[in-house]
Amino acid sequence: MTTGTDQTHVAPVLVGGEELPTPTAPVVNPARTDEVVGEHALGGEKEVDAAARAAVDAFPAWAALPAAERAAAMLRAADALDGIREDQARLITREVGKVMGESRADAAGAAALLRYFASLADEVDREEAAPVTFGRGWIRHLPMGPVAVISPWNTPVLLTFMALGPALIAGNTIVVKPPEIAPLALSRALAVLAAELPPGVIGSVPGLGDAAGAALTAHPLIRRILFTGSIATGQQVMRSAAATVKSVGMELGGNDAALILESARIDEALAREFVAGVFAASGQVCYNVKRVYVHRSLHDEFVEAFTDLAAQLTVGDGLDPHTAMGPLTTREGWERTQRLRADSDARGAKVTTVGVKRDPANWDGGHFQLPTVVTGIDPHAELVTNEQFGPIIPVLAFDDEDEALRQANDTEYGLAGSVWSADPDHALRVARRLEAGTAFVNVHRVGASPMSVPFGGVKQSGIGRTHGIDSVRACMEPQAVVCADDHGALPGLGHFAQLRLRRQP
Ligand code: NAD
């Protein structure tokens, strides 16, 4: 293996502001798999325990600060993160494979999310009068304690800050388990954040999922887990969390359907939205479009327009400014895509592969896959029923709108869905019947769901929502404060009212 021309990066265990020594494992560039981008710590139980204890120690003082003071520290960190944004984007491209535009959005997410959640500080400390029948009462919200954040590799920085932002402004302390596939840019962002906060408020334990991740979910001092990743891992995390009754927030996989109604207009703008919605980050986004249902009268026209635009995508190293789509991030993802192609083919579907190889000579040196469109596919095929997480998309024809909705909803996934029509009001009526955390009309892609609206999934796509004050409240425990100004004033003591002190005054 060679080391790339850029400097080698390290993702260390970070506890109480100090790096702990551990064995390490390499992080490889998916665009050239013989290039080591850096090393990540192989943290385990011992490091998780140290980070959890540091988070416990730091908790009382951090929780006692007014939220405005926590916000001020978060804003300082956001400014510091702005200064390293372009380096971070380059590093994300080298570890995840995404093109630079996608990595820039990922890197920029850290500061943007810290600023957004800092802006909610006034709300965090707000106490409400409780409707008590006597005396006085309030409802306040208290932070929970140490919170674990476990993140996936596809958007490592932004998604981690989306989870830790609300937990932090709420007054919790945090231990992050970065994804072992792409831990480098995130670890750097966490170090920058930690430097602006009291020691122990942010800890980081890179390592393997079944070592560092499992230890964190089992640790008795962790009170809440914010997990983003696959449904299968989410289920394991919930089982582990049950042993110590931890609160959980789950952002899991999606198999988003897009319904193109008979009333839609197939034009270049629609085709472009679909190419972006399907092939962003090589199909490796939780709410990419993953199934397309199109009215039979528009099927051929849509497939032609969509395939024609997808054919213009240049696939190659994400650092190359001429590249529109990078490689798959993992070998496993690449193999899954090949398997889905072969299965579709074996079922008699039409598998059309398009696009341009940017560097044919080095094609086999990375996990590259050209955009692939599958038509005439059995609706029970794995490509339709499961999340593909790669640049291969099934397009299915329908005759009846209700039947299309039934198929769209006939799944355990429920992250997002979209309806497309030249008559948006009609599309809205259909979209309201989608069983999904987000219902889009005439759009369906990253960036279409702003931080101010709840984001998350129904059914097995998740539990709870990120974004907004609700995600902050979800990291807090409501406390009822009830005050009887005069004891003995409340009637209803029942038989206790008969009791009299033997001792007379
Ligand atoms: P994954 O479930 O394999 O891994 C996610 C994280 O969990 C990693 O950090 C991993 O190390 C850790 N992990 C693995 N085993 C663990 C265990 N036993 N205990 C604790 N932690 C463990 O997911 P991935 O492959 O990194 O990400 C892709 C998946 O994430 C896709 O399904 C995608 O849809 C989903 N995703 C969802 C959202 C969302 O917001 N809903 C966002 C991005 C990705």
Side-chain angles (χ1 to χ4, degrees), residues 43 59 166 357 379 427 444:
F59 176 67
K357 294 180 181 178
H444 189 154

Side-chain angles (χ1 to χ4, degrees), residues 30 95-99 102 106 152-156 159 181 254 276-290 325-337 367 369 387-392 446:
E95 55 182 342
V96 180
K98 298 190 283 199
V99 298
E102 292 164 342
D106 193 344
W153 46 258
N154 66 332
T155 314
L159 289 174
I181 305 290
V278 169
F279 295 117
S282 308
Q284 303 170 115
V285 179
C286 54
Y287 69 71
N288 272 13
V289 173
K290 296 186 177 137
M325 196 175 94
L328 274 300
T329 305
T330 66
R331 182 77 195 167
E332 187 197 352
W334 184 86
E335 283 168 1
R336 186 178 53 247
T337 309
H367 306 144
Q369 168 62 55
E387 178 182 41
Q388 65 275 56
F389 228 55
I392 175 168
V446 175

Side-chain angles (χ1 to χ4, degrees), residues 150-155 159 162 177-181 207-217 227-234 236-237 240 250-254 284-287 290 330 332 387 389 413 415 455-457 461 466:
I150 302 178
S151 336
W153 46 258
N154 66 332
T155 314
L159 289 174
M162 193 188 279
K177 207 300 275 174
E180 58 270 46
I181 305 290
L208 304 181
D210 57 9
L216 198 51
T217 61
F227 175 79
T228 309
S230 64
I231 292 175
T233 309
Q236 286 184 44
V237 168
S240 177
M250 295 269 144
E251 294 289 341
L252 306 179
Q284 303 170 115
V285 179
C286 54
Y287 69 71
K290 296 186 177 137
T330 66
E332 187 197 352
E387 178 182 41
F389 228 55
Y413 294 94
L415 198 54
F455 173 76
S461 281
T466 71

Side-chain angles (χ1 to χ4, degrees), residues 72-227:
M74 290 164 71
L75 292 175
R76 284 197 304 275
D79 291 344
L81 285 162
D82 277 343
I84 59 165
R85 219 159 59 182
E86 192 60 16
D87 285 355
Q88 287 282 83
R90 198 175 159 78
L91 185 52
I92 292 170
T93 287
R94 293 179 67 221
E95 55 182 342
V96 180
K98 298 190 283 199
V99 298
M100 281 296 285
E102 292 164 342
S103 296
R104 284 191 182 105
D106 193 344
L113 284 153
L114 288 177
R115 291 194 176 104
Y116 171 69
F117 285 107
S119 77
L120 303 179
D122 287 351
E123 277 287 296
V124 174
D125 283 344
R126 202 160 55 81
E127 295 186 9
E128 290 162 33
V132 289
T133 50
F134 74 102
R136 290 174 293 161
W138 296 267
I139 298 166
R140 58 201 288 255
H141 294 85
L142 307 177
M144 292 174 164
V147 170
V149 173
I150 302 178
S151 336
W153 46 258
N154 66 332
T155 314
V157 175
L158 184 145
L159 289 174
T160 304
F161 277 70
M162 193 188 279
L164 71 75
L168 203 53
I169 191 66
N172 301 289
T173 51
I174 291 158
V175 181
V176 178
K177 207 300 275 174
E180 58 270 46
I181 305 290
L184 300 173
L186 172 58
S187 295
R188 190 162 176 221
L190 292 173
V192 168
L193 173 60
E196 298 297 337
L197 305 177
V201 171
I202 291 282
S204 177
V205 186
L208 304 181
D210 57 9
L216 198 51
T217 61
H219 200 289
L221 296 176
I222 298 291
R223 300 296 169 199
R224 177 166 168 81
I225 303 172
L226 290 164
F227 175 79

Side-chain angles (χ1 to χ4, degrees), residues 153-503:
W153 46 258
N154 66 332
T155 314
V157 175
L158 184 145
L159 289 174
T160 304
F161 277 70
M162 193 188 279
L164 71 75
L168 203 53
I169 191 66
N172 301 289
T173 51
I174 291 158
V175 181
V176 178
K177 207 300 275 174
E180 58 270 46
I181 305 290
L184 300 173
L186 172 58
S187 295
R188 190 162 176 221
L190 292 173
V192 168
L193 173 60
E196 298 297 337
L197 305 177
V201 171
I202 291 282
S204 177
V205 186
L208 304 181
D210 57 9
L216 198 51
T217 61
H219 200 289
L221 296 176
I222 298 291
R223 300 296 169 199
R224 177 166 168 81
I225 303 172
L226 290 164
F227 175 79
T228 309
S230 64
I231 292 175
T233 309
Q235 290 164 342
Q236 286 184 44
V237 168
M238 284 183 73
R239 276 194 288 273
S240 177
T244 44
V245 195
K246 298 185 198 319
S247 142
V248 294
M250 295 269 144
E251 294 289 341
L252 306 179
N255 192 12
D256 291 10
L259 272 58
I260 303 176
L261 304 185
E262 189 177 7
S263 51
R265 191 177 57 246
I266 308 296
D267 55 15
E268 195 176 311
L270 179 138
R272 197 178 302 114
E273 283 291 334
F274 267 84
V275 167
V278 169
F279 295 117
S282 308
Q284 303 170 115
V285 179
C286 54
Y287 69 71
N288 272 13
V289 173
K290 296 186 177 137
R291 297 174 282 156
V292 181
Y293 295 90
V294 52
H295 191 270
R296 196 173 302 281
S297 64
L298 299 176
H299 177 269
D300 294 354
E301 193 186 348
F302 170 75
V303 170
E304 190 186 336
F306 175 67
T307 311
D308 185 48
L309 268 193
Q312 297 171 39
L313 292 175
T314 300
V315 180
D317 187 336
L319 289 180
D320 183 333
H322 296 102
T323 294
M325 196 175 94
L328 274 300
T329 305
T330 66
R331 182 77 195 167
E332 187 197 352
W334 184 86
E335 283 168 1
R336 186 178 53 247
T337 309
Q338 307 311 309
R339 186 164 49 72
L340 292 171
R341 286 166 61 92
D343 180 62
S344 305
D345 208 31
R347 289 168 178 269
K350 184 174 173 203
V351 179
T352 307
T353 300
V354 294
V356 181
K357 294 180 181 178
R358 173 68 182 151
D359 184 4
N362 289 318
W363 189 252
D364 294 334
H367 306 144
F368 296 111
Q369 168 62 55
L370 289 171
T372 303
V373 182
V374 178
T375 54
I377 185 152
D378 172 358
H380 304 294
E382 190 188 345
L383 179 60
V384 181
T385 58
N386 276 354
E387 178 182 41
Q388 65 275 56
F389 228 55
I392 175 168
I393 181 81
V395 181
L396 299 101
F398 71 84
D399 296 298
D400 176 67
E401 219 166 82
D402 284 344
E403 174 55 18
L405 253 176
R406 195 196 62 75
Q407 289 192 37
N409 289 336
D410 184 21
T411 172
E412 280 301 307
Y413 294 94
L415 198 54
S418 59
V419 182
W420 300 72
S421 169
D423 176 356
D425 289 333
H426 177 205
L428 267 171
R429 286 195 295 277
V430 179
R432 285 172 187 276
R433 294 165 62 199
L434 284 170
E435 294 169 6
T438 303
F440 290 118
V441 168
N442 291 336
V443 70
H444 189 154
R445 64 180 153 90
V446 175
S449 171
M451 287 181 223
S452 51
V453 303
F455 173 76
V458 304
K459 300 184 194 169
Q460 294 193 30
S461 281
I463 298 177
R465 294 291 180 272
T466 71
H467 288 171
I469 188 67
D470 288 348
S471 67
V472 181
R473 290 277 186 249
C475 294
M476 306 182 85
E477 300 282 11
Q479 183 186 50
V481 180
V482 178
C483 170
D485 288 319
D486 177 10
H487 62 260
L490 178 66
L493 266 176
H495 63 278
F496 294 108
Q498 316 302 322
L499 304 176
R500 293 282 177 270
L501 286 177
R502 285 210 192 90
R503 181 165 45 85

